[in-house]
Structures are given as C-alpha cells and as structure tokens.
Amino acid sequence: MPGARGTQSFGAQKYDYYDDDDGYSTADATSLVDPRGGGEDVYYDDLGNTRKPFGWSGSTDLGLLVLRLALGGIFLAHGAQKLFGVLGGPGPEGFAQALSEMGFQQSATLALVTGATELGAGALLVLGLFTPLAAAGVVGVMANAIVLKLGAGFFAATGGFEFEATLGVLALGLMFTGPGRVALDNGRVWFRRPLAFGFVGLVIAAAAATVVLLLFHKP
C-alpha cells in the first residue's frame, strides 16, 4: 500500500513515499503534487506530516468584512456630511465654499460629485458590491486630498495627509484582495479575477484624480 514517512536532508525537507511498483522513493517536502500519481494536492511540514494546502479561509472573510464595514462606514458618514449637512457636516454649500478656497473651480458641482462618490463608494463597500469600482472612488478622492496637503507634511498633527493616506491605502488593498466571500460580489467575474480588475480600478482612480486636478484645480 502507498505510504509516506519523513526523512531529514540538507537544504529542503525530504519525505519518502512507497509505491507498489517502484518501492521507496524520495521527493521534496515542498511539493504540492502527490508523487504517487493520485492527483491530490498534498503538503508536508518539517516533520513530514501531511498538511492541508493554503486556501481561502473563514478568518480571511471575517477580516475583509471588518475592513469593508469600517472603511465603508467612514465614507458613508463623510458623504452624508457633504451632501446633507448631517453629523456636523458642512452640507453642499459649505463644502463647495471650502473647495473654492482650496482653488477649485466649479466648486458647487464638484462638491456634489465628491459627496456622491464618497456616499456611494461607502455603501458599496459595506455591501461588498462592485468592490473594485467602489475602492477606486475612495482612492481617487484620497489622492486629490493628499496632493492638496503635500505642503503640510505627513503627520495629521501638523495638518498633513496621514489620515487620507491611511484610508487610501486601505481602499487600495481591498481593490486587489476583493471583498471576501461575505459580499454581494461573491461569484462575479471581478470577484474571481481580483488582480486584473484591481488594476482596472487603479487606472480609473488615477484617471479621475488627474482629471479633477488638471481641469478644476487652479492654485
């Protein structure tokens, strides 16, 4: 009967396996293909014990869900502040005035677009729906905010872009990992190919941020 036992060698860990036809043979412990021809993926640890190959897990889903809820909730709140003036926010008029003071033209329209982007992206992140696009919205808005704060340095205590960079990086990470399986995106094509659609989202974010800065910002 086929079997396996651990052996020690210099360099990579080895294991022995017994084949009814060929007898004992040796293979690398890092091999993920069963050398006995059974077609099963196997992995052997340093002691030669069989281990389950790395795969998606419930802990990964939980971690991504927590990240989505936190980031999406923050942008839901910020979007509501800008669009509706709730939660102590400036409302569209107040935000438009702030944009105008920062050197933006068409500030009334831009205030509505920014508020809607934050609110929509936040809602989509919470739901785990169209995650690459939602993350792209967050990254684009945060990229503009970072550019405007470059002169103040990095740390938030001195008026820098620390907070905006943190939110942007979190969204960038979600853009490439996807939302996890506890999401409405589960099973969709961009869920199955997160790397490709992550790059699509990154291009959208970069293009949107560049257009806003070049066309609407006049320092």
Side-chain angles (χ1 to χ4, degrees):
M1 297 293 293
R5 65 183 182 183
T7 64
Q8 184 68 41
S9 66
F10 293 103
Q13 176 74 21
K14 303 288 185 179
Y15 69 90
D16 291 339
Y17 64 93
Y18 182 79
D19 185 273
D20 290 334
D21 297 324
D22 301 328
Y24 277 105
S25 299
T26 302
D28 292 339
T30 54
S31 174
L32 293 179
V33 179
D34 191 338
R36 294 166 290 177
E40 299 177 357
D41 290 338
V42 294
Y43 175 81
Y44 293 83
D45 62 16
D46 291 339
L47 299 178
N49 299 317
T50 303
R51 296 184 60 184
K52 182 179 179 180
F54 175 79
W56 204 265
S57 66
S59 61
T60 306
D61 292 322
L62 179 59
L64 289 173
L65 176 62
V66 171
L67 180 56
R68 278 178 25 230
L69 292 178
L71 188 62
I74 289 172
F75 278 89
L76 273 173
H78 279 281
Q81 284 183 316
K82 293 176 175 64
L83 286 180
F84 310 118
V86 298
L87 303 174
E93 295 82 6
F95 184 52
Q97 182 178 353
L99 288 175
S100 180
E101 292 172 356
M102 288 185 283
F104 284 99
Q105 299 178 338
Q106 304 294 326
S107 58
T109 300
L110 197 57
L112 293 176
V113 171
T114 303
T117 299
E118 292 187 350
L119 189 71
L124 291 175
L125 286 175
V126 168
L127 295 172
L129 182 62
F130 303 117
T131 303
L133 184 61
V138 172
V139 171
V141 171
M142 291 300 97
N144 279 330
I146 290 170
V147 170
L148 294 176
K149 288 190 172 185
L150 283 177
F154 176 73
F155 294 104
T158 59
F161 57 88
E162 180 181 8
F163 178 66
E164 290 79 7
T166 300
L167 296 180
V169 168
L170 292 177
L172 186 64
L174 279 175
M175 190 185 294
F176 285 99
T177 63
R181 291 176 294 183
V182 187
L184 294 179
D185 275 341
N186 193 352
R188 301 175 188 270
V189 62
W190 51 87
F191 178 87
R192 299 193 304 270
R193 298 182 178 180
L195 183 61
F197 282 89
F199 278 112
V200 172
L202 184 59
V203 170
I204 293 173
T210 301
V211 167
V212 169
L213 287 173
L214 292 180
L215 297 184
F216 296 99
H217 188 240
K218 305 295 182 182

